[in-house]
Amino acid sequence: MSGLGRVVRAGVRRRRLTTVAVGLAVLMAVTAAVLGASLLVASAAPFDRAFAGQHGAHLTAQFDAAKLSPAQAAGTARVAGVTAAAGPFPVVLATPPDAAPLTLVGRAGPGGAVDDVALTDGRWPAGPGEIVLGADAPYTRTGGVLRFPGLPGSPAFTVVGHARSVSRTADSWVTPAALTAPTGYQMLYRFVDAGTDTRVDAARGRIAAAVPAGALTGARSWLVVRQDADRNTGIFVPFLTAFGLLALVMAVLIIGTVVTGAIGANIRRIGVLKALGCTPVQVTRAYAGQALIPATAGAGLGVVAGNALAVPVLAETNSVYGTASSGVAPGTDLLVVAGVLAVVAVAAIASAWRAGHLRTVQALAVGQRPVSRHGRAAAWIAARVPGPPQVGLGLSRPFARPARAVGLIAAVAFGAATVTFALGLAATTADVAAAKNHDLGAVLVRGGLQFLPRGQQPGTPPSPKPITGTPAQIGAAIAAQPGTRSYYARGETSVAVAGMSGTSDLYTFGGDASDAGYQMVTGRWFHGAGEAVAVSTFLRETGTRVGGTVTLQAQGRTVAVRIVGEVFDPHTDPEVLVDAATFPELTPDSYYVTPRPGTNTAAYLAGLRAAVTPYGMQVLTPEGTRSGTLLALNFLTGLLTVMLVVIAGLGVLNNVVLDTRDRTRDIGVCKALGMTPRRTTAMVLTSVLPAGLAGGLLGVPTGVALYARTAPAMGHAAGLDLPGQAVNVLHRPELAALVVAGPLIALLGAALPAGWAARTRTATALRTE
Amino acid sequence: MIELDGVCRRYGAGPPALDDVTLRLARGETLAVIGPSGSGKSTLLNLLAGLDRPDEGTVTVDGLRVDRLSEAASARYRRSRVGLVFQFFNLLDDLTVADNVALPATLAGTARAAARHRAEDLLERLGIGRLARSYPGRLSGGERQRVGVARALVNRPPLLLADEPTGALDSAAAADVCELFAELHAEGQTIVLVTHDRALAGTLATRTVGLLDGRTVTPEVAR
Ligand SMILES: Nc1ncnc2c1ncn2[C@@H]1O[C@H](COP(=O)(O)OP(=O)(O)O)[C@@H](O)[C@H]1O
Ligand SMILES: [Mg+2]
């Protein structure tokens, strides 16, 4: 057996190319698998995992500072059922200029028994002039300054970092001392049992009873936050999960083809070993060992590469999911390495076993293979393909080695399918994200300030400023502003709908609304009074369809409207949208203004502000292009696609390298017979074309099919019907271009070995066994 | 026709594989190069075929400086002027015998049908016409070497280079191939034949050169 050990070691050293190919394949596979597995882990109940990781607050309560002391608030930590509490933290609601109000919480540090806030960059505020912003706030970068003119002394804060609270307990954090006049105190609780609304409500009741009447001004259950988070991320989970799975499948595929290919190239050597008296078991063991040595080295490097790549990928994933978990779990690394090495071992054992059980004469004859059916097909093609001989010889190659050709086709098909799938999903997701942010591109002129920014505690109503102008006055002021291209007015109220329990949101649109940036799932936008469009939740909850009629009760009136279309809006609260003429008495509180392209934004906003402020209106800067989720998604799609394509390309490279090595002698013969280097290159390149084309033809429809199943599933996971525009994103010319990508991937992968083949000294090539 | 002047070829450190070899060969001659294994015979042949380049000295064939040809030019040189016969045949397993023989002709630009026609003629002439549609894997050693010779001749090269053409054959097959070379010589073919088989050299060669440790010696010394 020690003799065989030497054979293995010699094999690893002498067959350097094979060894490198196996090591490289495993490196890529482990890299892909670490990333894929991390994505899968991150996509499994992202909110719940982040919530558990941060010891999220089951209840976020706010007390009125005028009605109780901080000590009284702290006393609620002893209420029955509370297992952990944090606070009291001083709270104010403060509005930076030209932006929505922010909940500012004074906290000495990010950690604690409850709501372990995660810093995504920078550090925690150390003094009164510093602030940490919510990681998704579009406002200011680290180092910037934020002023709050409404707070006593109109303090200015330097942004020293960004942080994310999964429980969404605040929009920004400062030191407690910075809030000299808090309007409230925040307490965060964890309960023994917070699994249902009933349990959380009961605990809330006990807390309310423990403080003076009316002191608890608001309390939000984690179940509400979770539902909100799940709605927001639901659509992204299938997308990232699919990528994770693709990466894992890719890993297995690469290893399978390369390892079996590497051993397949050694059949003759196996024959020699057997002729010298090795048993099949010994042969199997020897070759499994020969594959596992470079595989282990490759796996080590792959773990490093995978973890390095995972840093940016997981950072973006966290920003998509609104979570804050750190790097790759060590368990994931271990599992991936173990899994990959197991696949290597299985592939090696299976193919070595096969080779070990070939009759020895057959194995020895591989050099001068007896003619098989493939051989005949290859000869037939080589003899009949018109054009110079290198073309025929190249094209016949896949038929001479069908097993290797299948591996090549698989690698190319995989790459093509991945690109197709990724492009489709990216387009859909971008569409959804765009639909979600359909009005972010507009300048928003708001009055009243009745709305609550995300993360703000209910129960702390900001003092509404009354709108003092009529819609006509405000509209005229906006229209008169130089640089205004168009605007529409939106009114909002709750509406009771006959046959539906609870209320729905009603939006009225006046002015130049066209479709207000909404996409239609079915039907059309409303024209005039008496028509309405609605989101799918509304249709579901009222049991109506497009074409049906619903009765709306609002503003003391009952109006029957016909639903003429379903609009796409990923916010899943029931909404119904009508023309302003349907409810003329509802005063619009928001004006969405589109400036002319090329308008100087700052000057335009200043002018607009001056024009509408007298009417009690505020101007908010558009957030449009700053949608972090969309950017993160595009980045992720790009990165993952490039990675998977590179891996597919390297798979091709690996395959062609092994194939070229197998053919060293044949290529040498051709060169000795007078084939020029250029023709030799052409021959090797042509030899991958059929597989490349087959891969493209196979991969693109597979990608389309995969996409066609995943895209609607994505919608359903988020409780949405996706508009046709969002799911029919793959068009024929693009698909044709993608099919061409198959041969291109193959040619790219083959370029390097083709060059080698052309350059190798013929005399050397002829000496190879 | 062939002029080698002061040719040296070294592989890494150690003694050179060819050391200051100078040789002349006229058209129509058959030169036998004999010497023990490792004496540099194949290296010499590779230099003549333009498969390898000398470190020093010049190789001239038919007035062409073979040692200065680019890779592409040496490929063209081989397909127009040289036929190569190998010890281990080096037939392409995936092509039929006829396609193997026709390959150098198609590489040289002959139309496929014409090349096949010529290949079949040649196979017929070498007495293995019936094997045209077989695959090399099925042939005996002697038959394979006949195919190898046919392939070397298909472009009617002025120079035929053979590296131990009988080295992998039993004595009957070797005699058969030997006879074939004798016929070619009789037809005026210039041949360089590398062998360690003195009998073969004796029957075929118009001239014999010995090689020992990379130096030319008289045939008697090269044993
Ligand atoms: N590609 C090569 N690399 C290193 N050494 C070589 C190479 N080719 C030949 N040699 C060495 O050069 C010497 C002559 O080899 P060769 O010409 O093949 O001898 P022969 O054909 O007479 O047996 C030998 O010692 C051989 O080991
Ligand atoms: Mg030799």
Side-chain angles (χ1 to χ4, degrees), chain B residues 139-198:
Chain B
L139 270 48
S140 75
E143 288 166 340
R144 285 187 210 196
Q145 199 56 299
R146 279 194 169 245
V147 177
V149 173
R151 182 176 66 179
L153 294 176
V154 74
N155 283 339
R156 301 185 188 111
L159 178 61
L160 183 65
L161 302 175
D163 191 352
E164 314 235 16
T166 58
L169 301 178
D170 60 44
S171 51
D176 185 45
V177 169
C178 178
E179 198 175 313
L180 180 57
F181 275 89
E183 283 168 28
L184 292 172
H185 173 64
E187 291 167 18
Q189 176 76 49
T190 314
I191 302 173
V192 177
L193 179 72
V194 158
T195 182
H196 58 252
D197 181 346
R198 288 171 171 284

Coordinates of all heavy atoms in Angstrom, one line a residue, chain B residues 139-198:
Chain B
L139 N -6.0 -1.9 -36.3 CA -5.0 -2.4 -37.2 C -3.8 -3.0 -36.4 O -3.6 -2.7 -35.3 CB -4.5 -1.2 -38.0 CG -5.1 -0.9 -39.4 CD1 -6.6 -0.9 -39.2 CD2 -4.6 0.4 -39.9
S140 N -3.1 -3.9 -37.1 CA -1.9 -4.5 -36.5 C -0.8 -3.4 -36.6 O -0.9 -2.4 -37.4 CB -1.5 -5.7 -37.3 OG -0.9 -5.3 -38.5
G141 N 0.3 -3.7 -35.9 CA 1.4 -2.7 -35.9 C 1.9 -2.4 -37.3 O 2.1 -1.3 -37.8
G142 N 2.2 -3.5 -38.1 CA 2.7 -3.4 -39.4 C 1.8 -2.6 -40.3 O 2.2 -1.7 -41.1
E143 N 0.5 -2.8 -40.2 CA -0.5 -2.1 -41.0 C -0.5 -0.6 -40.6 O -0.6 0.2 -41.5 CB -1.9 -2.7 -40.8 CG -2.1 -4.1 -41.4 CD -3.3 -4.8 -41.0 OE1 -3.8 -4.5 -39.8 OE2 -3.8 -5.7 -41.7
R144 N -0.4 -0.4 -39.3 CA -0.4 1.0 -38.9 C 0.8 1.7 -39.5 O 0.7 2.9 -39.9 CB -0.3 1.1 -37.4 CG -1.6 0.7 -36.7 CD -1.5 1.0 -35.2 NE -2.4 0.1 -34.5 CZ -2.8 0.2 -33.3 NH1 -2.3 1.2 -32.6 NH2 -3.6 -0.7 -32.8
Q145 N 1.9 1.1 -39.5 CA 3.1 1.8 -40.0 C 3.0 2.0 -41.5 O 3.4 3.0 -42.0 CB 4.4 1.1 -39.6 CG 5.6 1.9 -39.7 CD 5.6 3.2 -38.8 OE1 4.7 4.0 -39.0 NE2 6.4 3.3 -37.8
R146 N 2.3 1.1 -42.2 CA 2.1 1.4 -43.6 C 1.2 2.6 -43.8 O 1.5 3.4 -44.7 CB 1.4 0.2 -44.3 CG 2.5 -0.9 -44.6 CD 2.0 -2.0 -45.5 NE 3.2 -2.7 -45.9 CZ 3.6 -2.8 -47.2 NH1 3.0 -2.2 -48.1 NH2 4.7 -3.4 -47.4
V147 N 0.2 2.7 -42.9 CA -0.7 3.9 -43.0 C 0.2 5.1 -42.7 O 0.1 6.2 -43.3 CB -1.8 3.8 -41.9 CG1 -2.7 5.1 -42.0 CG2 -2.7 2.6 -42.3
G148 N 1.1 5.0 -41.7 CA 1.9 6.1 -41.3 C 2.8 6.6 -42.5 O 2.9 7.8 -42.8
V149 N 3.3 5.6 -43.2 CA 4.1 5.9 -44.4 C 3.3 6.6 -45.5 O 3.7 7.6 -46.1 CB 4.9 4.7 -44.9 CG1 5.6 5.0 -46.2 CG2 5.9 4.2 -43.9
A150 N 2.1 6.0 -45.7 CA 1.2 6.6 -46.7 C 0.9 8.1 -46.4 O 0.9 8.9 -47.2 CB -0.1 5.8 -46.8
R151 N 0.6 8.3 -45.1 CA 0.4 9.7 -44.7 C 1.6 10.6 -44.9 O 1.4 11.7 -45.3 CB 0.0 9.7 -43.2 CG -0.4 11.1 -42.7 CD -0.8 11.0 -41.2 NE 0.3 10.7 -40.4 CZ 0.2 10.6 -39.0 NH1 -1.0 10.8 -38.4 NH2 1.2 10.2 -38.3
A152 N 2.8 10.1 -44.7 CA 4.0 10.9 -44.9 C 4.2 11.2 -46.3 O 4.8 12.2 -46.7 CB 5.2 10.1 -44.3
L153 N 3.7 10.3 -47.2 CA 3.9 10.5 -48.7 C 2.8 11.3 -49.4 O 3.0 11.6 -50.6 CB 4.1 9.1 -49.3 CG 5.3 8.3 -48.9 CD1 5.4 7.0 -49.5 CD2 6.6 9.1 -49.2
V154 N 1.7 11.5 -48.7 CA 0.6 12.0 -49.5 C 0.8 13.3 -50.2 O 0.2 13.6 -51.2 CB -0.7 12.0 -48.6 CG1 -0.6 13.2 -47.6 CG2 -2.0 12.1 -49.4
N155 N 1.7 14.2 -49.6 CA 2.0 15.4 -50.2 C 3.2 15.4 -51.2 O 3.7 16.4 -51.6 CB 2.2 16.5 -49.2 CG 0.9 17.0 -48.6 OD1 -0.2 16.8 -49.2 ND2 1.0 17.6 -47.4
R156 N 3.6 14.2 -51.5 CA 4.8 13.9 -52.4 C 5.9 14.8 -51.9 O 6.5 15.6 -52.7 CB 4.4 14.2 -53.8 CG 3.3 13.3 -54.3 CD 3.0 13.6 -55.8 NE 1.8 12.9 -56.2 CZ 0.7 13.5 -56.6 NH1 0.6 14.8 -56.6 NH2 -0.3 12.8 -56.9
P157 N 6.4 14.6 -50.7 CA 7.4 15.5 -50.1 C 8.8 15.1 -50.7 O 9.0 13.9 -50.9 CB 7.4 15.2 -48.6 CG 6.9 13.8 -48.5 CD 5.9 13.6 -49.7
P158 N 9.6 16.0 -51.0 CA 11.0 15.7 -51.5 C 11.8 14.9 -50.4 O 12.7 14.2 -50.8 CB 11.6 17.0 -51.8 CG 10.7 18.1 -51.4 CD 9.4 17.5 -51.0
L159 N 11.4 15.1 -49.1 CA 12.2 14.5 -48.1 C 11.4 13.7 -47.2 O 10.3 14.2 -46.7 CB 12.9 15.6 -47.3 CG 13.8 15.2 -46.1 CD1 14.9 14.3 -46.5 CD2 14.3 16.5 -45.3
L160 N 11.8 12.4 -46.9 CA 11.0 11.6 -46.0 C 11.9 11.4 -44.8 O 13.0 10.9 -44.9 CB 10.7 10.3 -46.7 CG 9.8 9.3 -45.9 CD1 8.4 9.8 -45.6 CD2 9.7 7.9 -46.6
L161 N 11.3 11.7 -43.6 CA 12.0 11.5 -42.3 C 11.3 10.4 -41.6 O 10.1 10.5 -41.4 CB 12.0 12.8 -41.5 CG 12.6 14.0 -42.1 CD1 12.5 15.2 -41.2 CD2 14.1 13.8 -42.5
A162 N 12.1 9.4 -41.1 CA 11.5 8.3 -40.4 C 12.3 8.0 -39.1 O 13.5 7.9 -39.1 CB 11.4 7.0 -41.3
D163 N 11.5 8.1 -38.0 CA 12.2 7.9 -36.7 C 11.9 6.5 -36.2 O 10.8 6.2 -35.8 CB 11.6 8.9 -35.7 CG 12.5 8.9 -34.4 OD1 13.3 8.1 -34.2 OD2 12.2 9.8 -33.6
E164 N 12.8 5.6 -36.3 CA 12.7 4.2 -35.9 C 11.4 3.6 -36.4 O 10.5 3.2 -35.6 CB 12.7 4.1 -34.3 CG 13.8 4.9 -33.7 CD 14.7 4.1 -32.8 OE1 14.6 2.9 -32.9 OE2 15.5 4.7 -32.0
P165 N 11.2 3.6 -37.7 CA 9.9 3.2 -38.2 C 9.6 1.7 -37.9 O 8.4 1.3 -38.0 CB 10.0 3.4 -39.7 CG 11.5 3.4 -40.0 CD 12.1 3.9 -38.8
T166 N 10.6 0.9 -37.6 CA 10.4 -0.5 -37.3 C 10.5 -0.8 -35.8 O 10.4 -1.9 -35.4 CB 11.4 -1.4 -38.1 OG1 12.7 -1.0 -37.6 CG2 11.3 -1.2 -39.6
G167 N 10.7 0.3 -35.0 CA 11.1 0.1 -33.6 C 9.9 -0.6 -32.8 O 10.2 -1.2 -31.8
A168 N 8.7 -0.4 -33.3 CA 7.6 -0.9 -32.5 C 7.0 -2.2 -33.2 O 5.9 -2.6 -32.9 CB 6.5 0.1 -32.3
L169 N 7.8 -2.7 -34.1 CA 7.2 -3.8 -34.9 C 7.9 -5.2 -34.7 O 9.1 -5.2 -34.4 CB 7.3 -3.5 -36.4 CG 6.5 -2.2 -36.8 CD1 6.7 -1.9 -38.3 CD2 5.1 -2.3 -36.4
D170 N 7.2 -6.3 -34.9 CA 7.9 -7.5 -34.8 C 8.7 -7.7 -36.1 O 8.6 -6.9 -37.1 CB 6.9 -8.7 -34.6 CG 5.9 -8.7 -35.7 OD1 6.3 -8.6 -36.9 OD2 4.7 -8.9 -35.4
S171 N 9.5 -8.8 -36.2 CA 10.5 -8.9 -37.3 C 9.8 -9.0 -38.6 O 10.2 -8.4 -39.6 CB 11.5 -10.0 -37.0 OG 10.7 -11.2 -36.7
A172 N 8.7 -9.7 -38.7 CA 8.0 -9.9 -40.0 C 7.5 -8.5 -40.5 O 7.7 -8.1 -41.6 CB 6.8 -10.9 -39.8
A173 N 6.8 -7.8 -39.6 CA 6.3 -6.5 -39.9 C 7.4 -5.6 -40.3 O 7.3 -4.7 -41.2 CB 5.4 -5.9 -38.8
A174 N 8.5 -5.7 -39.5 CA 9.7 -4.8 -39.8 C 10.2 -5.0 -41.2 O 10.5 -4.1 -41.9 CB 10.7 -5.0 -38.7
A175 N 10.3 -6.3 -41.5 CA 10.8 -6.6 -42.9 C 9.9 -6.0 -43.9 O 10.4 -5.5 -45.0 CB 10.9 -8.2 -43.0
D176 N 8.6 -6.1 -43.7 CA 7.6 -5.6 -44.6 C 7.9 -4.1 -44.8 O 7.9 -3.6 -46.0 CB 6.3 -5.8 -44.0 CG 5.2 -5.4 -44.9 OD1 5.2 -5.8 -46.1 OD2 4.2 -4.8 -44.4
V177 N 8.0 -3.3 -43.7 CA 8.2 -1.9 -43.8 C 9.6 -1.6 -44.5 O 9.7 -0.7 -45.3 CB 8.2 -1.3 -42.4 CG1 8.6 0.2 -42.4 CG2 6.7 -1.4 -41.8
C178 N 10.6 -2.4 -44.2 CA 11.9 -2.2 -44.7 C 11.8 -2.3 -46.3 O 12.4 -1.5 -47.0 CB 12.8 -3.3 -44.2 SG 14.4 -3.3 -44.8
E179 N 11.1 -3.3 -46.7 CA 10.8 -3.5 -48.1 C 10.2 -2.2 -48.8 O 10.6 -1.8 -49.9 CB 9.9 -4.7 -48.3 CG 9.9 -5.3 -49.7 CD 9.1 -6.6 -49.7 OE1 9.3 -7.4 -48.7 OE2 8.2 -6.7 -50.6
L180 N 9.3 -1.7 -48.1 CA 8.5 -0.5 -48.5 C 9.5 0.7 -48.7 O 9.5 1.3 -49.7 CB 7.5 -0.1 -47.5 CG 6.6 1.1 -47.8 CD1 5.9 0.9 -49.1 CD2 5.6 1.2 -46.7
F181 N 10.4 0.8 -47.7 CA 11.4 1.9 -47.8 C 12.4 1.7 -49.0 O 12.8 2.6 -49.7 CB 12.2 2.1 -46.5 CG 11.5 3.0 -45.5 CD1 10.6 2.4 -44.7 CD2 11.7 4.3 -45.5 CE1 9.9 3.2 -43.8 CE2 11.0 5.1 -44.6 CZ 10.1 4.6 -43.7
A182 N 12.7 0.4 -49.2 CA 13.6 0.1 -50.3 C 12.9 0.5 -51.6 O 13.6 1.0 -52.5 CB 13.9 -1.4 -50.3
E183 N 11.6 0.2 -51.8 CA 10.9 0.6 -53.0 C 10.9 2.1 -53.2 O 11.2 2.6 -54.3 CB 9.5 0.1 -52.9 CG 9.3 -1.4 -53.2 CD 7.9 -1.9 -52.8 OE1 6.9 -1.0 -52.9 OE2 7.8 -3.0 -52.4
L184 N 10.7 2.8 -52.1 CA 10.7 4.3 -52.2 C 12.0 4.8 -52.6 O 12.1 5.7 -53.4 CB 10.3 4.9 -50.8 CG 8.8 4.6 -50.4 CD1 8.6 5.1 -49.0 CD2 7.9 5.3 -51.3
H185 N 13.1 4.2 -52.0 CA 14.4 4.6 -52.4 C 14.7 4.4 -53.9 O 15.2 5.2 -54.6 CB 15.4 3.9 -51.6 CG 16.8 4.1 -52.0 ND1 17.4 5.4 -52.0 CD2 17.8 3.3 -52.5 CE1 18.6 5.3 -52.4 NE2 18.9 4.0 -52.8
A186 N 14.2 3.2 -54.3 CA 14.4 2.9 -55.7 C 13.7 3.9 -56.6 O 14.1 4.2 -57.7 CB 13.8 1.5 -56.0
E187 N 12.6 4.5 -56.1 CA 11.8 5.5 -56.9 C 12.5 6.8 -56.8 O 12.0 7.8 -57.3 CB 10.4 5.6 -56.4 CG 9.6 4.3 -56.8 CD 8.2 4.3 -56.0 OE1 7.8 5.4 -55.5 OE2 7.7 3.2 -55.9
G188 N 13.6 6.9 -56.1 CA 14.4 8.2 -56.0 C 14.0 9.1 -54.8 O 14.5 10.2 -54.8
Q189 N 13.3 8.6 -53.9 CA 12.9 9.4 -52.7 C 14.1 9.6 -51.8 O 14.9 8.7 -51.5 CB 11.8 8.6 -51.9 CG 11.4 9.3 -50.6 CD 10.5 10.4 -50.9 OE1 9.5 10.3 -51.6 NE2 10.8 11.6 -50.3
T190 N 14.3 10.9 -51.4 CA 15.4 11.2 -50.4 C 14.8 10.8 -49.0 O 13.7 11.2 -48.7 CB 15.7 12.6 -50.4 OG1 15.9 13.1 -51.8 CG2 17.0 12.9 -49.6
I191 N 15.6 10.0 -48.3 CA 15.1 9.5 -47.0 C 16.2 9.7 -45.9 O 17.4 9.5 -46.2 CB 14.8 8.0 -47.1 CG1 13.8 7.7 -48.2 CG2 14.3 7.5 -45.7 CD1 13.5 6.2 -48.4
V192 N 15.7 10.2 -44.7 CA 16.6 10.1 -43.6 C 15.9 9.1 -42.6 O 14.8 9.3 -42.2 CB 16.8 11.5 -42.9 CG1 17.7 11.3 -41.6 CG2 17.5 12.4 -43.8
L193 N 16.7 8.1 -42.2 CA 16.1 7.0 -41.5 C 16.9 6.9 -40.2 O 18.1 6.8 -40.2 CB 16.3 5.8 -42.3 CG 15.8 4.5 -41.7 CD1 14.3 4.4 -41.7 CD2 16.3 3.3 -42.6
V194 N 16.2 7.1 -39.1 CA 16.8 6.9 -37.8 C 16.5 5.5 -37.2 O 15.4 5.1 -37.3 CB 16.3 8.0 -36.8 CG1 16.5 7.6 -35.3 CG2 16.9 9.3 -37.0
T195 N 17.5 4.8 -36.8 CA 17.3 3.5 -36.4 C 18.4 3.0 -35.5 O 19.5 3.6 -35.5 CB 17.1 2.5 -37.5 OG1 16.8 1.2 -37.0 CG2 18.4 2.5 -38.4
H196 N 18.1 2.0 -34.6 CA 19.3 1.4 -34.0 C 19.4 0.0 -34.5 O 20.2 -0.8 -34.0 CB 19.1 1.4 -32.4 CG 17.9 0.7 -32.0 ND1 16.8 1.4 -31.5 CD2 17.5 -0.6 -32.0 CE1 15.8 0.6 -31.2 NE2 16.2 -0.7 -31.5
D197 N 18.7 -0.3 -35.6 CA 18.7 -1.6 -36.3 C 19.8 -1.6 -37.4 O 19.5 -1.0 -38.5 CB 17.3 -1.9 -36.8 CG 17.2 -3.2 -37.4 OD1 18.3 -3.8 -37.7 OD2 16.1 -3.7 -37.7
R198 N 21.0 -2.2 -37.1 CA 22.0 -2.1 -38.1 C 21.7 -2.8 -39.4 O 22.0 -2.4 -40.5 CB 23.3 -2.8 -37.5 CG 23.9 -2.0 -36.5 CD 25.0 -2.7 -35.8 NE 25.6 -1.7 -34.9 CZ 26.4 -0.8 -35.4 NH1 26.7 -0.8 -36.7 NH2 26.8 0.2 -34.7

